[in-house]
DNA sequence: TTGAAAGCGCTAACAC
DNA sequence: GTGTTAGCGCTTTCAA
């Protein structure tokens, strides 16, 4: 007690202190059955006495079947991913699995590194929301020789199990909404077209524009992955000779940047410019006017990812499955009829 | 190739394929020296051929000195913590350490569980930002028999190494600022007084009020840990008979809730009510008016935590050290002179 | 029930 | 340089 060892106590130490074999001590401490109550108590007491801490890693190694699931996220700054992580955490814990979180910081190299790290820690399964680079993501998926679910930034042709939002239909709805309000010069601001889901959103926007004979007004603008970059790019868009009357942003980070630009350009929403945001975020609720946005069913997505992972873990699923969830257009205050004035002077 | 084994290849398989001993294979694959170029190549080739993946866990176990650092965060929703995590990640990776992230979700029991989990994975050190419960945090700190740094929600009497913001002086500055603008009915909205740093902020506010002979107007209101709870509580505060002319919120989550309430109550900032936020957040930059806030030096804090951890890891530090960082009051647009009208009718 | 013993995949002496 | 071997801390047969 007074003079603790340099090395932490092991199962062997517990066994010696409790005057039982390591095997018995192991059974007790690992929650297995087949030990008399009397000796079990002795083991627990001994463990407490010498301050024993189980080495789960050694246990996993010997057991050969890990109980952790790796989750690698592209951006902790994006509330959408954090919400998914929170949902997954709850499900995992509830099913006796531990989540090992890793953060790629929107950096493909870092992502590869993080995946390798998590995999090398012997996880039972992997859940990945990749960052930019479709081929890159495919290569990474191949690295994972455990049950794998890829989410959000993948499509239905991805060679892995996927859970995603139906970006296309939501984007179609959003564009139609703006067009119905009389907008013609609608710009689509996207983080990067290197992301499939962003590409899908942009394509659906373009299709909707074409269908409405507005092809000449199509403007898809890549803004970069950070709010800072979106800010700068949007500022340029807004200061062009023919300013768009409506902005359609492809994700919440882009929206944040666009809002800063609109603020800097001293423009009023929706008077000077309408704004439609793909993706909700908690802070949007304090904005005046309240943002019209496309809301993704985060809880449902998280739940689906977990259910799928569970099936995979139990070997009940051999073919790739691609799950799609419908996003909802919430019409609020930031989109309005285009004024004759705005349409002309813009 | 065509009929892969059920069990993944091990070092032994590589050695056999490369026609060398496991020892040699180990040296090559672990980056040690003392192997001829010729055989090294053979090992690499064999590894690639059979799709070998190193089991770092087994290596760590054998080596006895892990290279991961555990980081447990209370709330991934709070940008402040995420920013600290990002800073730490970069530093850790740069120094050859891997960060294992865990999320307590503002739940003390979950926190204990996460700490145990991370510890059981044999980390070399722990960095913890605890959730509510000072005694609880102390108990958890004791659980960690590896180098430990506690951050943010601790004070200088905490029995561990700590890195924190000087909440007291920042809160004093903030309150003084509001008083100087003529405010008297200043309410301090705090998540919970169970958090030391929140307590410090509240106390400094109270002291400043007393010093200005405004003791009768002191109002410290606990709002809970989520924006939703803060929203509800603030709404009550704003609908009271004598409405405060200024709100001082204790952290960015509380600020978010307060903003929602102000919106719901149809009040104008700063005309009807001034708002001062302890803690900045990216989304605050899109608000009109731009929020007056107290900004914490996240980068510096992250860097300090890491430097301290490094020292601890190298055994260069035996006494507890308590580092404090100065936060900065950024006066912007959400705080203004109290109007005679507001002061009376509030 | 219990204990002895054989490893899980890897590293690090240590001889050759 | 290279191979052999004894473990890291734990689980899990298998006899007793």
């Amino acid at each position: 007690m007074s003079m603790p060892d340099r090395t932490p106590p092991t199962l062997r130490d517990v066994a010696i202190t409790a005057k039982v074999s390591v095997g018995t001590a192991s059974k007790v401490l690992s929650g297995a059955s087949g030990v008399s109550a009397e000796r079990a108590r002795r083991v627990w007491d001994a463990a407490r006495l010498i301050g024993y801490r189980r080495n789960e890693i050694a246990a996993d190694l010997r057991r050969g079947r890990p109980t952790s699931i790796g989750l690698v996220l592209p951006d902790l700054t994006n509330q959408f991913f954090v919400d998914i992580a929170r949902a997954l955490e709850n499900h995992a814990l509830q099913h006796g699995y531990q989540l090992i979180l890793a953060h790629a910081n929107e950096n493909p190299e870092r992502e590869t590194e993080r995946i390798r790290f998590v995999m090398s820690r012997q996880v039972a399964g992997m859940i990945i929301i990749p960052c930019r680079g479709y081929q890159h993501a495919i290569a990474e998926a191949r690295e994972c020789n455990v049950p794998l679910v890829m989410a959000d930034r993948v499509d239905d042709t991805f060679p892995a199990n996927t859970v995603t939002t139906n970006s296309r239909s939501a984007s179609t709805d959003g564009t139609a909404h703006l067009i119905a309000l009389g907008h013609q010069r609608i710009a689509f601001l996207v983080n990067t077209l290197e992301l499939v889901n962003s590409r899908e959103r942009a394509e659906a926007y373009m299709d909707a524009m074409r269908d409405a004979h507005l092809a000449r007004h199509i403007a898809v603008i890549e803004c970069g992955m950070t709010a800072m970059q979106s800010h700068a790019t949007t500022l340029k868009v807004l200061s062009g000779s023919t300013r768009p009357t409506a902005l359609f942003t492809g994700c919440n980070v882009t929206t944040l940047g666009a809002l800063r630009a609109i603020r800097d350009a001293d423009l009023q929403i929706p008077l000077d410019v309408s704004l439609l945001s793909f993706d909700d975020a908690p802070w949007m609720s304090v904005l005046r006017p309240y943002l019209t946005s496309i809301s993704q069913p985060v809880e449902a997505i998280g739940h689906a990812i977990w259910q799928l992972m569970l099936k995979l873990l139990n070997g009940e699923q051999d073919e790739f499955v691609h799950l799609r969830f419908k996003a909802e257009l919430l019409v609020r205050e930031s989109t309005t009829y285009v004024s004759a004035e705005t349409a002309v002077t813009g």
Side-chain angles (χ1 to χ4, degrees), chain A:
Chain A
M1 268 272 84
S2 51
M3 198 56 198
D5 267 343
R6 199 66 241 124
T7 67
T10 74
L11 190 60
R12 201 170 145 276
D13 301 319
V14 177
I16 292 173
T17 311
K19 298 197 173 63
V20 299
S21 72
V22 270
T24 302
S26 168
K27 276 183 195 112
V28 174
L29 265 13
S30 67
S33 61
V35 177
S36 68
E38 143 69 3
R39 309 190 80 133
R41 238 190 18 75
R42 256 162 56 200
V43 170
W44 281 118
D45 289 349
R48 198 166 313 117
L49 179 67
I50 66 175
Y52 171 71
R53 340 274 318 255
R54 222 171 119 67
N55 183 339
E56 294 294 348
I57 272 183
D60 269 9
L61 175 60
R62 177 60 239 243
R63 208 185 291 117
R65 45 183 154 70
T67 59
S68 312
I69 304 289
L71 171 63
V72 7
L73 259 28
D75 184 9
L76 251 26
T77 264
N78 188 326
Q79 192 64 35
F80 177 67
F81 302 134
V82 168
D83 285 342
I84 287 188
R86 301 210 304 167
L88 284 172
E89 252 169 5
N90 292 333
H91 289 123
L93 249 28
Q94 225 162 309
H95 289 261
Y97 284 93
Q98 306 284 350
L99 229 52
I100 295 191
L101 225 67
H103 179 211
N105 209 23
E106 294 291 16
N107 176 341
E109 287 92 59
R110 167 91 52 112
E111 182 175 62
T112 304
E113 187 185 64
R114 299 321 289 159
I115 291 176
R116 295 231 172 98
F117 169 70
V118 174
M119 287 288 302
S120 78
R121 311 298 290 185
Q122 307 304 108
V123 289
M126 280 291 259
I127 301 170
I128 303 178
I129 302 182
C131 29
R132 91 191 89 91
Y134 194 80
Q135 288 306 319
H136 188 257
I138 291 181
E140 291 179 335
R142 272 196 238 291
E143 296 244 335
C144 301
N145 41 13
V146 294
L148 167 69
V149 178
M150 305 279 293
D152 193 51
R153 290 156 161 200
V154 281
D155 61 16
D156 295 351
T157 69
F158 197 91
N161 299 288
T162 66
V163 178
T164 54
T165 298
N166 193 333
S167 286
R168 232 178 270 270
S169 76
S171 193
T172 304
D173 292 351
T175 312
H177 165 65
L178 292 171
I179 293 174
L181 290 173
H183 290 279
Q184 300 202 333
R185 291 203 306 280
I186 304 169
F188 191 83
L189 306 181
V190 66
N191 42 19
T192 171
L193 294 172
E194 288 180 62
L195 248 24
V196 237
N197 63 345
S198 289
R199 220 151 50 217
E200 289 179 343
R201 292 169 196 185
E203 279 164 10
Y205 148 82
M206 292 193 285
D207 289 345
M209 290 292 275
R210 276 191 217 100
D211 289 352
H213 308 292
L214 257 28
R216 67 192 178 287
H217 290 307
I218 286 178
V220 171
I221 296 130
E222 288 194 73
C223 292
M225 299 309 293
T226 67
M228 229 173 70
Q229 291 171 301
S230 298
H231 177 188
T233 311
T234 310
L235 218 40
K236 270 184 223 139
V237 172
L238 292 177
S239 62
S241 54
T242 52
R243 197 175 66 213
T245 62
L247 260 32
F248 187 176
T249 49
C251 79
N252 70 48
V253 175
T254 311
T255 306
L256 182 54
L259 282 165
R260 281 190 200 152
I262 293 171
R263 182 185 195 278
D264 285 0
D266 243 315
L267 260 27
Q268 300 289 334
I269 301 176
L271 219 69
D272 300 318
V273 61
S274 280
L275 179 64
L276 166 57
S277 168
F278 202 117
D279 217 358
D280 241 344
W283 52 264
M284 291 188 189
S285 63
V286 299
L287 258 32
R288 291 166 183 261
Y290 203 171
L291 253 47
T292 296
S293 68
I294 291 170
S295 162
Q296 306 188 61
V298 204
E299 290 295 328
I301 292 176
H303 189 248
I305 294 175
W306 183 252
Q307 289 304 320
L308 185 50
M309 176 52 73
L310 228 43
K311 263 192 197 155
L312 261 27
L313 255 16
N314 296 332
E316 293 168 16
Q317 186 81 51
D318 18 80
E319 301 229 328
F320 288 150
V321 15
H322 303 286
L323 267 28
R324 282 269 180 181
F325 282 80
K326 190 172 170 356
E328 198 181 355
L329 173 65
L330 303 173
V331 177
R332 294 186 285 226
E333 308 164 352
S334 70
T335 48
T336 190
Y337 284 98
V338 64
S339 65
E341 185 198 355
T342 315
V344 173
T345 61

